């Protein structure tokens, strides 16, 4: 059965009871439901803890989609731990501090794509920092100017909302997709759109804050020239 992705319904949900459905040959734990974001779209998988019914903890290092069935999430435990058996009832708890930093920086990267309205050729999200690569014609970018514009958008205290459209609606509006290297998650017949007030609208399967005020001050830490028309812009929570 597919894993129920609770983070899609509520990115602020930190804990959930769950049932172990299987443990694969490499020790990946498959649950019926999860609050852990699985690696994808430049955002790393969540870490945290799985607690068994007797109170014993299992540290989870990351979450990934099952290579054999992309509808299921594998919770990857750190090495040297006893693993649960199928049918066990457990409690799954996020490393919330790490996740929240990722939510803040992910939302800030959406705003950065507004400040720099160029095709995005790559990107990644870290624990309080991140980057986007832009296909920008020859010309310099000023870190202070980019930071000023970015923080001005953050200061608008815009609400972040989500809605779903069909694959066909997305195909009819290709301009919604800003990323050239990472495509929005598809296959279920519908795609999630993330709106930041009236500032930005784009498909995204990641986790975000509820309001730009939660991002806080952002610094532009570096702008690198990666090619004739490629600029890598790095940002961090200040």
């Amino acid at each position: 059965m597919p894993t129920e992705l609770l983070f899609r319904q509520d990115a602020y949900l930190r804990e959930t009871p769950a049932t172990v459905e299987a443990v694969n040959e490499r020790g990946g734990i498959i649950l019926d439901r999860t609050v852990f974001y699985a690696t994808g779209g430049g955002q790393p998988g969540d870490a945290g803890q799985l607690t068994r019914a007797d109170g014993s903890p299992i540290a989870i290092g990351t979450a990934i989609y099952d290579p054999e069935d992309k509808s299921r999430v594998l919770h990857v435990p750190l090495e040297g731990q006893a693993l649960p058996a199928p049918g066990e009832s457990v409690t799954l708890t996020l490393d919330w501090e790490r996740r929240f930093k990722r939510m803040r920086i992910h939302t800030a990267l959406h705003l950065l794509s507004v400040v720099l309205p160029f095709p995005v050729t790559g990107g990644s999200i870290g624990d309080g920092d991140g980057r986007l690569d832009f296909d920008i014609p020859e010309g310099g970018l000023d870190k202070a100017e980019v930071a000023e514009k970015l923080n001005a958008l953050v200061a608008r205290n815009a609400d972040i909302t989500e809605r779903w459209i069909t694959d066909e609606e997305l195909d009819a509006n290709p301009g919604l997709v800003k990323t050239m290297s990472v495509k929005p998650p598809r296959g279920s017949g519908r795609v999630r759109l993330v709106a930041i007030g009236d500032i930005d609208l784009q498909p995204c399967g990641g986790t975000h804050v509820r309001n730009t005020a939660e991002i806080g001050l952002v610094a532009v830490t570096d702008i690198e020239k990666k090619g004739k028309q490629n600029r890598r812009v790095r940002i961090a929570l200040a």
Side-chain angles (χ1 to χ4, degrees), residues 29 48-60 77-84 88 90-93:
I29 302 167
Q49 179 174 292
L50 187 154
T51 306
R52 304 175 75 174
D54 63 2
S56 59
I58 300 173
I60 303 297
L78 301 182
E79 292 185 4
Q81 301 180 97
L83 299 178
E88 277 195 46
V90 297
T91 300
L92 194 59
T93 306

Side-chain angles (χ1 to χ4, degrees), residues 18-23 29-32 53 84-90:
T19 301
V20 178
E21 293 198 332
V23 179
I29 302 167
I30 300 170
L31 306 173
D32 64 335
E88 277 195 46
S89 295
V90 297

Side-chain angles (χ1 to χ4, degrees), residues 163-179 183-184 186 191-193 201-203:
R163 62 185 175 90
W164 294 84
I165 60 172
T166 64
D167 288 348
E168 292 74 22
E169 287 175 300
L170 181 62
D171 291 337
N173 295 276
L176 289 172
V177 181
K178 298 184 179 183
T179 53
K183 300 303 180 184
R186 302 178 66 154
V191 176
R192 189 180 70 160
L193 291 182
L201 178 67
Q202 59 179 292

Side-chain angles (χ1 to χ4, degrees), residues 106-107 109-115 153 156 158-161 175-176 178 193-204 208:
H106 194 161
T107 310
L109 288 172
H110 278 230
L111 295 177
L112 181 62
S113 73
V114 175
V115 173
L153 293 180
R156 287 174 60 175
D159 289 331
I160 290 86
T161 57
L176 289 172
K178 298 184 179 183
L193 291 182
V194 175
I196 304 178
D198 59 358
I199 301 169
D200 184 54
L201 178 67
Q202 59 179 292
C204 184
H208 302 271

Side-chain angles (χ1 to χ4, degrees), residues 83-164:
L83 299 178
E88 277 195 46
S89 295
V90 297
T91 300
L92 194 59
T93 306
L94 271 177
D95 179 339
W96 174 250
E97 183 177 353
R98 184 182 303 183
R99 156 70 89 74
F100 190 53
K101 287 179 180 178
R102 293 173 180 175
M103 290 165 58
R104 293 165 63 198
I105 205 70
H106 194 161
T107 310
L109 288 172
H110 278 230
L111 295 177
L112 181 62
S113 73
V114 175
V115 173
L116 299 174
F118 303 96
V120 176
T121 59
S124 68
I125 297 161
D127 299 337
D129 59 7
R131 66 168 173 85
L132 286 181
D133 297 345
F134 295 92
D135 184 12
I136 300 178
E138 190 68 45
L141 293 176
D142 183 77
K143 284 200 299 183
E145 182 181 355
V146 173
E148 182 180 0
K149 292 180 178 179
L150 180 57
N151 283 300
L153 293 180
V154 171
R156 287 174 60 175
N157 298 345
D159 289 331
I160 290 86
T161 57
E162 302 160 3
R163 62 185 175 90
W164 294 84

